[in-house]
Amino acid sequence: MELTTERLIIRPWKELDAESLLGYARTPEVGPKAGWPVHTSVDSATSIQRRINLVL
């Protein structure tokens, strides 16, 4: 399912989103509060996405 407005798209995670996620989730204040370890690479972001079933 995808919800789209003029300024926002909400959709399930895709594996291609890992690099964008890394930019946000490498911050120590983000990951642990969200329940995952700090991301250290695109591979770690992809792995964490898969582990918590965010990638469709």
Side-chain angles (χ1 to χ4, degrees), residues 17-36:
D17 297 327
E19 190 168 338
S20 295
L21 176 61
L22 174 63
Y24 180 69
R26 74 173 82 193
T27 306
E29 292 82 27
V30 174
K33 289 181 182 178
W36 61 65

Side-chain angles (χ1 to χ4, degrees), residues 5-51:
T5 70
E6 190 174 306
R7 296 176 41 194
L8 179 68
I9 298 172
I10 299 174
R11 61 168 173 72
W13 287 97
K14 296 179 181 178
E15 197 164 319
L16 294 174
D17 297 327
E19 190 168 338
S20 295
L21 176 61
L22 174 63
Y24 180 69
R26 74 173 82 193
T27 306
E29 292 82 27
V30 174
K33 289 181 182 178
W36 61 65
V38 174
H39 294 34
T40 56
S41 67
V42 172
D43 289 337
S44 73
T46 301
S47 174
I48 292 166
Q49 284 178 316
R50 286 182 181 147
R51 195 168 3 152

